Amino acid sequence: MGFDDLMRRYFGTAELPGLSSAELAAGSERLAVDFGLEADPARRFALWALMYILGSAPDLDVAFKDAGERDAARNFMDLYAGIAPPSQ
C-alpha cells in the first residue's frame, strides 16, 4: 500500500495541495472509517500513518492496543518529525 495509492483512494488525487477543505474533510472521514474497520495490523498502521501526516490520527493508546504497535507508531512520529517541514 503506497502513499500515492492511499491518497488516490481516499482523496481522488496524489496531490494534497489542490484539495478543497470539503474534499480533505470527506477523504479524512473515509480514511477514519476504514481505519476503524481494518483488522490487518500492517494496513491499519499504514492508515494511521496517513492520518498522522494529515493531522487527524487518534491518540496512540486509542489507535493501538498492542505496546509494540504503539512503539512503532512513536518511532514513525519521531522519524516524521525529522523530515516534516516546520509548521507555520
Side-chain angles (χ1 to χ4, degrees):
M1 186 180 319
F3 181 77
D4 287 350
D5 295 332
L6 287 173
M7 291 296 296
R8 284 188 195 94
R9 176 179 176 135
Y10 294 105
F11 301 100
T13 181
E15 301 299 322
L16 192 60
L19 293 174
S20 69
S21 304
E23 291 169 321
L24 185 59
S28 294
E29 185 175 332
R30 287 189 296 272
L31 179 59
V33 168
D34 281 358
F35 174 77
L37 296 173
E38 184 59 59
D40 179 79
R43 292 179 58 87
R44 190 169 163 77
F45 186 86
L47 297 176
W48 177 88
L50 179 55
M51 289 192 299
Y52 181 78
I53 290 168
L54 297 173
S56 62
D59 290 336
L60 296 181
D61 59 335
V62 173
F64 303 108
K65 301 302 178 205
D66 180 78
E69 291 174 340
R70 287 191 302 272
D71 288 343
R74 282 187 198 93
N75 288 339
F76 175 82
M77 293 164 70
D78 290 343
L79 290 170
Y80 183 72
I83 61 168
S87 299
Q88 296 183 15

